[in-house]
Amino acid sequence: MSEYQHYQFEVDTPLTDAQLAQIRALTTRARLSRHSFVNTYGWGDFKGDPRLLVETHYDAHLYFANWGTRRLILRWPATALSLDTVQAYCAGDSADAWESNGYVLLALESDPEDDIEDFNDLFGIDEDDFDEDGGRDEQWLPSIARARQQVAEGDLRLLYLAWLLRARNGEFDDDDLEPAVPPGLADLPEPLADLATFLRIDADLIAAAAQHAPPPPRPTLAAHLAWTATLDTQEKDTVLARLIHDGDPHLLSGLRRRFLDSRAPGGPAPAPRTVAELLAAVPAQKTLRIARQEQREAEERDRAVCQAREAQDRRLADLQDDPEAAWHRVGELLSQRGTRHYPEIVRLLGDLAALADRDATTGAFAERYARFIATHRTKKALMRDLRAGGPACTALIALTPAAD
């Protein structure tokens, strides 16, 4: 199998002409704009250093290789997020944080052994259709990059997920304690759900961790009004003017973070669990998830059966006055070439079988149906469809012989 590597970069503030020239000097093939960089390599590799480029040019980076490696690098202004806050969760092989050029950066990596993939897993394209000019679904990074603002606002779920990535990869001792579980871990927004999926953070592990998560804060407009009333008037004027003039999202994030920091905690936090205790809770979450999924699937099957029977009852009301018309229609459809009419034939015969069952004339129908089968037994696709039937064809399936 061929090897492929996919690189993406994004930046909030448009790159300058000089910065674009610096990037273009590293690659002639990438699709490059002032806000993004996209390229996939089937031969060779990218000449640049992704870490350095995020330190100097970009806000977010995604890397994917079809031998299993997946990486993300995200950055924040050091004024919006402190390195100490990040390192409380991320200081290991799978999640590493550092500070450079006035930014705090976080690198995340998922690199399981013996996990060969193809691009269809992430980008919805078959390997045979690979084209270095792109043209594949590249929405992973734009989605994940939106989580940066949530972190800047004081939402630490991304950092806790990074800690879970480290726990998943065996970077802790059993008696190591988990960090504080942030609110709302049980209900991840799309950017964080995509990050967890991309990095293969087990959903059952997240669910087990979320058992100790407080509910997400839901401040009201009245609460925001009460808080802003406590701010200095000159500060408010300055902030508003900067928002109007610059539109700086980090300024708004900083205000939201300050507001959340000002609110008293809702109650005592649960005692931190050891890594062993957290991991031991995962099997129960898996069992619960499977049970819920099976229940949903059973309910969906029941709904499908009810809907099929209701539809059939309506058809039987039309059919009962002239069942011969249905037999005639079956003959017309069989006289046409191909198999595209087989589903309608199965439906018609299923309705005739159900009508006979309801009217206690199953014996006469069974004799006629046996003659029908004898005549068309060589149509293997038709016989297969008749045996498969459907939720409205129970009576018909019972009368259809098994495969030879």
Side-chain angles (χ1 to χ4, degrees):
M1 182 175 67
S2 301
E3 293 182 350
Y4 299 111
Q5 300 179 79
H6 181 79
Y7 290 82
Q8 283 182 248
F9 296 88
E10 279 202 355
V11 63
D12 296 336
T13 303
L15 297 179
T16 64
D17 289 341
Q19 289 174 319
L20 282 172
Q22 291 167 354
I23 303 299
R24 182 55 73 192
L26 298 173
T27 175
T28 59
R29 298 193 59 87
R31 285 184 285 130
L32 187 61
S33 74
R34 294 191 183 274
H35 288 277
S36 66
F37 170 118
V38 179
N39 202 18
T40 305
Y41 295 85
W43 305 98
D45 197 358
F46 177 49
K47 297 177 182 178
D49 181 344
R51 286 195 174 218
L52 179 60
L53 284 179
V54 181
E55 288 178 354
T56 57
H57 289 68
Y58 291 103
D59 292 316
H61 163 63
L62 176 146
Y63 171 84
F64 166 85
N66 69 330
W67 54 79
T69 301
R70 302 181 185 182
R71 296 187 191 124
L72 292 168
I73 306 177
L74 307 172
R75 79 173 184 180
W76 295 262
T79 54
L81 181 67
S82 73
L83 181 61
D84 288 344
T85 298
V86 181
Q87 288 185 330
Y89 296 86
C90 310
D93 295 333
S94 304
D96 181 33
W98 71 100
E99 191 168 350
S100 177
N101 297 323
Y103 291 98
V104 170
L105 297 98
L106 171 62
L108 305 170
E109 180 167 336
S110 174
D111 194 10
E113 296 180 0
D114 302 324
D115 194 2
I116 303 301
E117 306 173 296
D118 64 35
F119 267 67
N120 196 46
D121 292 334
L122 288 180
F123 298 105
I125 191 169
D126 292 328
E127 185 176 296
D128 292 341
D129 295 329
F130 172 76
D131 178 357
E132 287 196 11
D133 291 332
R136 59 184 89 252
D137 182 359
E138 291 144 1
Q139 296 307 305
W140 284 95
L141 185 59
S143 174
I144 293 170
R146 294 201 304 272
R148 293 166 41 250
Q149 182 176 351
Q150 297 164 349
V151 176
E153 292 175 0
D155 182 344
L156 302 184
R157 285 178 292 181
L158 186 152
L159 302 183
Y160 186 87
L161 289 174
W163 183 87
L164 285 182
L165 176 66
R166 297 176 60 200
R168 169 197 179 278
N169 291 338
E171 295 183 18
F172 300 108
D173 294 330
D174 285 349
D175 56 355
D176 285 340
L177 297 177
E178 68 176 337
V181 185
L185 191 65
D187 186 19
L188 297 179
E190 184 179 33
L192 292 179
D194 283 347
L195 178 140
T197 299
F198 182 78
L199 293 174
R200 307 181 182 93
I201 303 173
D202 182 43
D204 298 322
L205 176 59
I206 297 173
Q211 291 178 325
H212 278 207
R218 303 188 188 281
T220 62
L221 176 60
H224 283 114
L225 286 170
W227 180 75
T228 55
T230 67
L231 300 179
D232 178 75
T233 301
Q234 183 176 355
E235 179 188 13
K236 286 190 282 191
D237 290 345
T238 301
V239 168
L240 182 59
R242 288 180 58 194
L243 280 173
I244 295 172
H245 184 268
D246 300 329
D248 184 358
H250 295 297
L251 183 62
L252 181 59
S253 297
L255 285 173
R256 288 174 172 159
R257 184 176 68 252
R258 287 175 57 188
F259 168 77
L260 292 176
D261 290 344
S262 71
R263 296 172 66 83
R273 294 163 291 189
T274 65
V275 170
E277 289 171 336
L278 174 58
L279 296 180
V282 174
Q285 287 298 318
K286 181 177 181 180
T287 299
L288 180 61
R289 173 179 57 80
I290 292 173
R292 287 173 175 170
Q293 180 178 339
E294 290 176 344
Q295 180 179 359
R296 287 193 298 269
E297 291 174 351
E299 291 172 352
E300 183 61 32
R301 287 194 299 270
D302 290 344
R303 280 194 297 271
V305 169
C306 289
Q307 291 170 358
R309 286 175 177 168
E310 289 172 359
Q312 186 177 61
D313 287 342
R314 292 191 293 270
R315 295 195 304 271
L316 294 187
D318 297 331
L319 182 64
Q320 62 185 356
D321 294 333
D322 189 11
E324 283 302 318
W327 281 108
H328 180 70
R329 178 59 178 162
V330 168
E332 286 183 341
L333 294 173
L334 282 171
S335 68
Q336 301 180 37
R337 295 176 60 85
T339 62
R340 67 184 184 278
H341 298 298
Y342 285 180
E344 185 178 356
I345 292 171
V346 171
R347 180 182 62 77
L348 288 167
L349 291 172
D351 289 349
L352 287 166
L355 182 65
D357 186 58
R358 191 192 69 180
D359 296 344
T361 59
T362 302
F365 173 81
E367 291 179 6
R368 188 167 184 177
Y369 185 62
R371 294 195 298 273
F372 173 87
I373 291 294
T375 302
H376 300 288
R377 184 180 293 275
T378 57
K379 296 182 175 68
K380 296 189 180 300
L382 176 61
M383 296 299 105
R384 182 180 62 248
D385 290 352
L386 288 169
R387 285 189 294 271
C393 294
T394 305
L396 180 66
I397 294 171
L399 295 171
T400 304
D404 293 335

